[in-house]
């Protein structure tokens, strides 16, 4: 995409559309009011504010002695390192991205992954979120970093994105697919992606082999006011919308250390036990799926 085309895209979003459904209005209000320390304090470590979880082994040497007065600060920094490691793994699967390309972060939150993508590829990154406060936060950070000519968040529905057909080189959802119907979502990603473009999602999903969503999955749904889908639903909806999986990576074992460490911190939210138990009993999985638009 040229600079002129990118400016045109930005100019086309001067208004904030209303949510398409009462449920989306509820979700917008939920995230407008959300200010959990676990999201904000981790982002304060280096200015990258994420809304997802982490993967990788804990660096015990970096944590040091739990009796140390600086231990909690080190623990928060370690949780944040694992968050950013998760985003890096997602970007590893985006394929070959050039500086003239435009990427889309669907459900961008406060914009941490958008900043990382621009820093890594030098490209344009467009974020979409239902939350006006999240978009404002992400755009303020982009201005502070002086990358607002390349990174922008907007308030809109990820099921009806303001991009022309075939305009986007790659797109992703990072733990945001549980708020929408998958067929509608993948239809829209398929529309905006160029042929050969890459779509990536990292998500928690319930395991069809378990039979039905477990009580732990139901607790997670209630906590976040979302609807977690099954692994089977992801693959079926992609196949129906010209998205062909190239990689399916089970990250369940890789995310458990994050949750077990977070459960020992001052930032607990009360949902940690549900995640840990669901991952351990096999009813819940943490997956990365990378698919190409054909």
């Amino acid at each position: 995409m040229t600079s002129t085309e990118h400016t045109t895209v930005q100019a086309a979003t001067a208004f904030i559309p209303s949510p398409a459904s009462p449920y989306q209005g509820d979700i917008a209000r939920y995230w407008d009011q959300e200010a959990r320390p676990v999201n904000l304090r981790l982002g304060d470590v280096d200015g990258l504010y994420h809304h997802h979880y982490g993967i990788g082994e804990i660096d015990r040497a970096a944590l040091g002695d739990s009796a140390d007065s600086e231990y909690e600060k080190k623990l928060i920094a370690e949780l944040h390192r694992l968050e950013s490691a998760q985003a890096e793994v997602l970007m590893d699967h985006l394929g070959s991205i050039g500086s003239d390309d435009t990427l889309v972060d669907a459900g961008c939150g406060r914009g941490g992954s958008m900043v990382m993508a621009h820093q890594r590829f030098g490209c344009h990154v467009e974020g979409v979120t239902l939350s006006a406060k999240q978009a404002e936060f992400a755009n303020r950070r982009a201005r502070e970093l002086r990358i607002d000519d390349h990174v922008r968040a907007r308030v809109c529905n990820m099921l009806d994105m303001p991009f022309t057909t075939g305009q986007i080189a790659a797109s992703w959802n990072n733990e945001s697919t549980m708020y929408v119907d998958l067929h509608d979502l993948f239809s829209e990603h398929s529309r905006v992606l160029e042929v050969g473009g890459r779509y990536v999602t990292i998500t928690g999903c319930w395991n069809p082999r378990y039979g039905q969503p477990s009580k732990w999955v139901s607790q997670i749904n209630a906590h976040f006011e979302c609807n977690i889908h099954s692994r089977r639903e992801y693959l079926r909806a992609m196949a129906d919308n010209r998205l062909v999986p190239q990689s399916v990576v089970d990250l369940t074992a890789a995310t458990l250390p994050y949750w077990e460490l977070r459960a020992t911190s001052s930032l607990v939210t009360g949902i940690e036990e549900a995640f840990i138990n669901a991952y351990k009993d096999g009813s819940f999985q943490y997956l990365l799926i990378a698919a190409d638009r054909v």
Side-chain angles (χ1 to χ4, degrees):
M1 174 185 277
T2 66
S3 297
T4 300
E5 289 170 331
H6 185 69
T7 301
T8 301
V9 169
Q10 293 182 338
T13 59
F15 67 97
I16 298 177
S18 299
S21 68
Y23 171 73
Q24 288 184 330
D26 288 343
I27 296 305
R29 285 187 290 274
Y30 177 95
W31 288 110
D32 277 344
Q33 296 168 9
E34 184 274 336
R36 291 192 184 96
V38 72
N39 290 321
L40 295 170
R41 287 187 64 190
L42 269 62
D44 287 344
V45 171
D46 62 5
L48 291 172
Y49 292 85
H50 297 301
H51 277 277
H52 59 255
Y53 310 126
I55 59 173
E57 293 299 323
I58 305 300
D59 185 346
R60 297 293 174 183
L63 286 177
D65 189 339
S66 60
D68 190 325
S69 61
E70 293 291 302
Y71 179 77
E72 183 71 10
K73 180 179 178 180
K74 293 176 181 178
L75 187 152
I76 289 169
E78 182 64 5
L79 288 174
H80 181 63
R81 184 185 69 82
L82 298 178
E83 279 189 311
S84 291
Q86 188 258 34
E88 292 286 4
V89 168
L90 187 152
M91 290 172 206
D92 288 343
H93 287 79
L94 288 177
S96 178
I97 303 297
S99 60
D100 290 332
D101 287 330
T102 296
L103 312 183
V104 169
D105 182 350
C108 64
R110 289 185 170 95
S113 293
M114 292 197 297
V115 173
M116 291 177 67
H118 169 68
Q119 290 174 339
R120 179 164 176 168
F121 301 115
C123 60
H124 298 288
V125 189
E126 299 280 355
V128 300
T129 174
L130 289 172
S131 169
K133 286 194 174 180
Q134 286 185 343
E136 179 185 7
F137 189 104
N139 287 330
R140 182 172 66 251
R141 284 297 297 137
R143 289 192 298 271
E144 290 168 353
L145 295 169
R146 299 182 180 180
I147 58 172
D148 50 309
D149 57 338
H150 281 78
V151 174
R152 175 179 173 133
R154 68 188 69 199
V155 181
C156 73
N157 181 357
M158 70 172 75
L159 304 182
D160 184 21
M161 294 187 279
F163 311 115
T164 59
T165 299
Q167 177 184 348
I168 304 302
S171 61
W172 70 85
N173 288 92
N174 197 350
E175 298 180 14
S176 55
T177 52
M178 61 287 298
Y179 291 102
V180 292
D181 177 88
L182 291 181
H183 280 272
D184 293 343
L185 175 67
F186 294 153
S187 174
E188 184 64 354
H189 278 287
S190 183
R191 182 188 69 80
V192 302
L193 283 169
E194 62 187 26
V195 174
R198 173 63 58 86
Y199 170 76
V200 180
T201 184
I202 295 182
T203 186
C205 58
W206 64 268
N207 187 352
R209 292 185 178 181
Y210 194 83
Q212 289 290 332
S214 68
K215 66 178 181 180
W216 305 117
V217 172
S218 297
Q219 285 183 24
I220 296 167
N221 277 334
H223 183 85
F224 293 105
E225 300 182 23
C226 64
N227 178 36
I228 292 167
H229 307 288
S230 72
R231 174 176 179 153
R232 182 180 298 137
E233 289 174 279
Y234 279 92
L235 298 176
R236 182 180 299 135
M238 286 183 178
D240 289 344
N241 288 286
R242 305 182 67 85
L243 294 171
V244 178
Q246 304 299 308
S247 301
V248 180
V249 183
D250 189 338
L251 297 171
T252 306
T255 198
L256 260 174
Y258 166 90
W259 283 103
E260 291 171 339
L261 183 63
R262 175 168 147 174
T264 70
S265 76
S266 63
L267 303 177
V268 293
T269 62
I271 200 61
E272 289 78 13
E273 180 184 16
F275 275 91
I276 292 169
N277 288 335
Y279 286 139
K280 286 186 172 180
D281 73 12
S283 64
F284 196 44
Q285 295 176 305
Y286 197 51
L287 292 186
L288 179 149
I289 306 174
D292 285 347
R293 166 68 164 90
V294 299

